[in-house]
Amino acid sequence: MRTKIVAGNWKMNKNLEETESLLTELAAKRPDTDAEIIVSPTFVNLATAVRHLESSIIQVAAQNMHFAPNGAFTGEISVDMLKNIGVETVILGHSERRSHFGETDAILKQKVDSAIANNMRIIFCFGEELEQRKSEEHFTVVEEQLKNALFHLEAKSWEQIVLAYEPVWAIGTGETASPEQAQEMHAFIRKTIAGSFGDAIANSVSILYGGSVKPANASDIFSKPDVDGGLIGGASLKADDFVEIIKAI
Ligand code: PGA
C-alpha cells in the first residue's frame, strides 16, 4: 500500500503569529486519518512549527533548500540547517522556484542529490505549462523533468522520493486538472518509472496532485487509483479548508 499524503505548501504566507495560530487550529481540528499530513511554513517559522507540532502527527517540510553543504551563498539554507531543527522533508522543484528563481533541472538534480545524501525526504514537483499542454507536449515535458532530475538515482533512493505532479496552468488559477487528466498523467508517470526502475518501485512511490485542490474537488481527484494525495497551496492556509481536504483522502 502506498502512503497517502496531504501536504500544505504555505508559500510566502503567514507571519509568526499567524503560523502559530493556524498550527494550533489544525492540531485541534485534525481528523483521524491514516494519511500523512504535512505543512510547510516559511523558513523563518520552521523551527517554531517543529516545536509547536512536537506531540502531533502533523509533519513539517521546508519549501526549498540549497544544494551546497554550507558556504558563501547569501540568503540560502542548507540541508544540515533544516535537519538540525528537525525538518525531515523538503519540497524541491516547485514551478514558482523554476519560473521566478531560475531553477533548472540541472540545479534540481544537485538539490536532489544533496537531500538524498543527507537522508532528507523530497517532495519533487514538476508539471507542464499551458502552452505545452495545448501543443500536446505534456507527457514529453513531464518525462524530461523526471529523467533530468531523478533518473540517475539508485533504486533504494526512491524510498526518499514523493512526487507531486502540478500542471502549471492549474496552480493558483482556480482551474484544476480534471480527475481524468490527473489520473492519465499519474498513470503515465508510474509507467515511466516502471520502465527504468521496475514495477515494485513504480507502485510504491506516492504521486500527489497539486493545482487548485479545494474541499469541493478533492474527493473526486483523490478517488483516482494513481493519485495518492495532494500538494495544496491556497486552500492549506485556512484550517477548515485544509481539514476538509484531509477528510477527502
Ligand atoms: P494552489 O497551489 O493549490 O494554490 O493551486 C498548489 C501549489 O503551488 O503547490
Side-chain angles (χ1 to χ4, degrees):
M1 265 282 282
R2 289 190 290 273
T3 315
K4 303 266 186 199
I5 301 172
V6 180
N9 175 10
W10 292 10
K11 310 189 181 184
M12 197 174 73
N13 294 294
K14 305 283 175 194
N15 64 23
L16 178 59
E17 264 173 61
E18 293 162 345
T19 296
E20 288 181 320
S21 112
L22 179 53
L23 293 176
T24 303
E25 207 180 337
L26 277 179
K29 293 183 171 170
R30 172 186 68 74
D32 276 335
T33 173
D34 293 337
E36 278 189 42
I37 306 171
I38 301 176
V39 293
S40 49
T42 180
F43 283 126
V44 287
N45 295 326
L46 282 178
T48 303
V50 169
R51 275 199 299 274
H52 202 98
L53 296 171
E54 231 157 32
S55 57
S56 168
I57 61 148
I58 303 176
Q59 303 169 45
V60 177
Q63 298 174 19
N64 181 29
M65 58 171 240
H66 197 268
F67 52 77
N70 52 44
F73 298 98
T74 302
E76 292 291 331
I77 308 282
S78 75
V79 63
D80 172 62
M81 293 168 189
L82 295 174
K83 299 267 322 190
N84 190 249
I85 57 166
V87 174
E88 303 283 341
T89 304
V90 64
I91 298 171
L92 292 179
H94 191 279
S95 71
E96 286 148 21
R97 298 292 323 166
R98 294 176 189 258
S99 65
H100 303 320
F101 303 100
E103 292 198 11
T104 59
D105 289 348
I107 291 173
L108 290 168
K109 183 179 178 194
Q110 293 186 73
K111 293 189 176 201
V112 164
D113 285 342
S114 170
I116 294 290
N118 288 280
N119 218 11
M120 181 73 110
R121 183 168 63 155
I122 299 164
I123 299 177
F124 185 81
C125 306
F126 55 95
E128 82 284 358
E129 295 182 14
L130 184 59
E131 287 311 312
Q132 294 166 327
R133 180 161 280 262
K134 280 188 182 157
S135 57
E136 293 185 4
E137 291 169 275
H138 46 296
F139 293 117
T140 321
V141 168
V142 160
E143 187 172 351
E144 283 300 302
Q145 287 172 327
L146 290 173
K147 289 199 162 156
N148 290 343
L150 298 177
F151 274 35
H152 64 292
L153 291 175
E154 288 176 35
K156 69 173 172 36
S157 301
W158 280 84
E159 288 169 16
Q160 285 167 251
I161 304 284
V162 172
L163 298 176
Y165 167 60
E166 299 202 302
V168 178
W169 46 272
I171 295 178
T173 57
E175 188 176 345
T176 322
S178 68
E180 291 69 31
Q181 284 173 320
Q183 169 57 27
E184 182 187 38
M185 182 57 90
H186 284 220
F188 169 78
I189 292 162
R190 228 178 272 293
K191 198 178 89 205
T192 305
I193 297 170
S196 291
F197 294 93
D199 285 342
I201 288 178
N203 289 329
S204 63
V205 63
S206 298
I207 309 179
L208 315 185
Y209 168 80
S212 298
V213 177
K214 35 189 180 270
N217 59 26
S219 301
D220 283 349
I221 295 172
F222 295 164
S223 71
K224 294 296 177 192
D226 285 298
V227 178
D228 305 308
L231 181 57
I232 322 297
S236 70
L237 298 172
K238 286 198 196 119
D240 289 336
D241 285 356
F242 195 52
V243 163
E244 285 308 308
I245 292 170
I246 297 166
K247 284 184 188 159
I249 197 107

